[in-house]
Amino acid sequence: MRLSILFLILCLFSACSTHHESNKLGTIDFEQGLHEKNHFDLKDRVTGIKYIPFETKEECMLSDIRNIFKVQDNYVVQDTEYVYMFDPSGHFIRKVSTKGKGPGEYELLVDVQCSQNEIFLVSLGKILVFSATGDYTRTIPLDDLRLQAMSIDNEGNFYFIMPDKTQKKEITSIDLIHIYDKEGHFIRKVESKVVRHEAGLAYYNNIMNIDGVGVAYKELFGNVIYSINKNTEPDSLFVLSLNDSFFKKADFNRSKRHIWGDKYLLLDVFNTPKTNIFKLQKGLIKPTHEYLVFDKEKDKIHRPLFDENKLGLSCDGIKMHPVNQTGKTLLFTVDPEYLEALTEKNPNIKLEEDCNPVLAVLTFK
């Protein structure tokens, strides 16, 4: 099984612009957050919630959901092999593209991103572009087959993360991000500041986006979050205090496999007006996901509890997992173990056995 680690993240903190303008970096203490547990319910932070069961039928059986996007009024869902489109009520509309070698088809689905009006599928050496209704419109050729996970900025430029291979001691930097314009022309690259070497392993990385923010990233073994400004140059935004609970360079050695199950990686950040939600990965081989919540008003971070001291995020006692964000709206999937509780609280929701996931659309205050 290929070992995958996500080490680039996107985030926007409400205080980021202030810290950047004053050239002073704020610090968020993740180590403290792991030891601080408080009851937290998303219901107290939202103005509205809508549950949308994705239709369950043979031609749209979802496996492991990688991402969900809202494109105009519809929802575009990426799983491990395909991209599906559902209407606002969750009814299946169509697949977006399919496997093949013809126009608008892909041999390998590498990544998916969406804008307000277009859908972008990354395959080997190309970006397939589709309209908001899922119709194929054009192909953007790329000059490097290694270009993998992708993000898009507000100008329509594409950001690709390069695969990070084991480096020799004498290597002082590696190509981290390659930036292309909307026509697929190379603009520039961003090099890493923290270099991994002697790990004995190869990693495949990811890059994500939050609507209206632009691109930002954190290097795997660094503790600074960088944004990429309008000049496509990195700016330092925030310092994270990670300490011993998080993976360090020395931990990526096969002789230390016994500790891999207890260490954390930071995967993603979801920004709301009053709260930042940090998604963590615990372990490598069979990873699990946990969360930290940063209260901007109280300037405190903690692990969220619900339902008699269970770890995780919930809304009105229903456990759920964040997937993507558009402005103040966050998209979650309901935890499968809480589908019965969901239907008890919402009798109008009818679910079949072995049904597709249920989308929860939360609008934050």
Side-chain angles (χ1 to χ4, degrees):
M1 181 180 70
R2 188 178 76 175
L3 181 62
S4 297
I5 294 180
L6 309 180
F7 86 113
L8 292 189
I9 66 169
L10 275 186
C11 65
L12 175 67
F13 301 91
S14 63
C16 278
S17 59
T18 301
H19 286 291
H20 175 58
E21 290 171 3
S22 62
N23 201 30
K24 294 181 180 179
L25 298 181
T27 300
I28 297 181
D29 192 341
F30 272 32
E31 191 71 18
Q32 177 185 350
L34 288 174
H35 293 91
E36 187 76 23
K37 301 177 183 179
N38 290 314
H39 283 272
F40 178 81
D41 197 302
L42 294 166
K43 184 180 179 180
D44 301 328
R45 302 296 177 102
V46 302
T47 59
I49 179 169
K50 182 179 181 181
Y51 291 105
I52 303 174
F54 287 131
E55 184 178 6
T56 303
K57 54 197 309 185
E58 185 176 352
E59 56 264 46
C60 62
M61 292 300 297
L62 300 172
S63 55
D64 181 21
I65 291 181
R66 300 297 178 87
N67 216 333
I68 303 175
F69 306 87
K70 187 173 184 181
V71 180
Q72 294 186 0
D73 292 329
N74 296 324
Y75 294 97
V76 175
V77 182
Q78 174 197 3
D79 72 2
T80 53
E81 293 188 84
Y82 300 102
V83 181
Y84 304 87
M85 182 176 289
F86 296 85
D87 73 11
S89 298
H91 296 114
F92 176 63
I93 298 176
R94 65 185 298 179
K95 280 185 179 179
V96 179
S97 186
T98 187
K99 291 183 179 179
K101 297 183 179 180
E105 297 178 338
Y106 58 87
E107 295 181 67
L108 177 66
L109 182 62
V110 178
D111 198 13
V112 177
Q113 285 293 327
C114 297
S115 66
Q116 288 292 324
N117 300 305
E118 290 185 305
I119 303 165
F120 304 92
L121 275 59
V122 183
S123 188
L124 299 175
K126 61 184 178 182
I127 302 173
L128 304 175
V129 186
F130 299 82
S131 69
T133 56
D135 296 314
Y136 170 69
T137 60
R138 68 190 189 279
T139 294
I140 301 174
L142 298 171
D143 60 5
D144 195 327
L145 292 176
R146 297 177 300 162
L147 297 173
Q148 296 190 14
M150 179 182 70
S151 183
I152 308 171
D153 68 14
N154 295 332
E155 305 301 320
N157 297 318
F158 301 104
Y159 295 71
F160 289 92
I161 182 65
M162 300 298 290
D164 178 20
K165 301 293 184 180
T166 302
Q167 303 295 326
K168 298 179 181 179
K169 283 185 177 181
E170 59 268 22
I171 300 297
T172 58
S173 68
I174 58 173
D175 293 353
L176 192 63
I177 299 171
H178 282 207
I179 307 173
Y180 291 75
D181 67 17
K182 61 183 66 178
E183 302 301 326
H185 301 125
F186 177 76
I187 298 177
R188 64 160 294 174
K189 64 183 179 181
V190 178
E191 292 187 344
S192 70
K193 300 179 185 301
V194 180
V195 180
R196 176 181 56 78
H197 60 77
E198 297 185 302
L201 298 169
Y203 298 91
Y204 296 83
N205 310 299
N206 200 9
I207 189 168
M208 292 162 278
N209 203 349
I210 296 177
D211 182 72
V213 175
V215 181
Y217 66 93
K218 173 192 169 295
E219 295 166 342
L220 180 57
F221 296 117
N223 67 333
V224 178
I225 292 176
Y226 300 93
S227 69
I228 298 180
N229 60 32
K230 292 182 179 179
N231 297 320
T232 64
E233 297 174 344
D235 287 332
S236 301
L237 287 181
F238 251 82
V239 175
L240 305 177
S241 179
L242 302 179
N243 298 330
D244 293 334
S245 296
F246 287 77
F247 278 102
K248 292 181 171 59
K249 185 186 302 184
D251 297 330
F252 285 87
N253 187 299
R254 294 189 185 277
S255 65
K256 294 191 175 183
R257 292 181 64 181
H258 61 284
I259 67 171
W260 285 2
D262 298 321
K263 297 282 186 175
Y264 289 91
L265 290 167
L266 177 60
L267 295 188
D268 205 351
V269 181
F270 300 92
N271 176 63
T272 75
K274 297 182 180 180
T275 305
N276 287 120
I277 299 171
F278 296 89
K279 183 178 181 179
L280 308 179
Q281 174 180 309
K282 184 177 183 180
L284 292 183
I285 306 302
K286 294 182 179 180
T288 58
H289 293 154
E290 296 185 14
Y291 302 94
L292 292 177
V293 174
F294 179 70
D295 189 321
K296 298 177 184 179
E297 296 176 327
K298 297 180 180 179
D299 196 30
K300 291 185 178 180
I301 189 168
H302 66 271
R303 297 173 82 179
L305 296 174
F306 75 103
D307 192 16
E308 298 181 356
N309 297 327
K310 294 180 181 178
L311 282 172
L313 291 170
S314 72
C315 185
D316 196 21
I318 304 299
K319 186 177 182 180
M320 54 185 62
H321 307 278
V323 181
N324 209 339
Q325 177 175 12
T326 302
K328 292 184 179 181
T329 300
L330 267 66
L331 305 180
F332 293 74
T333 55
V334 176
D335 189 284
E337 294 184 3
Y338 283 77
L339 292 179
E340 183 176 349
L342 175 66
T343 56
E344 290 176 356
K345 290 177 178 286
N346 301 270
N348 59 314
I349 297 178
K350 307 297 182 183
L351 300 177
E352 303 176 24
E353 188 175 352
D354 298 323
C355 65
N356 266 335
V358 175
L359 176 68
V361 182
L362 276 64
T363 303
F364 282 75
K365 298 177 181 178

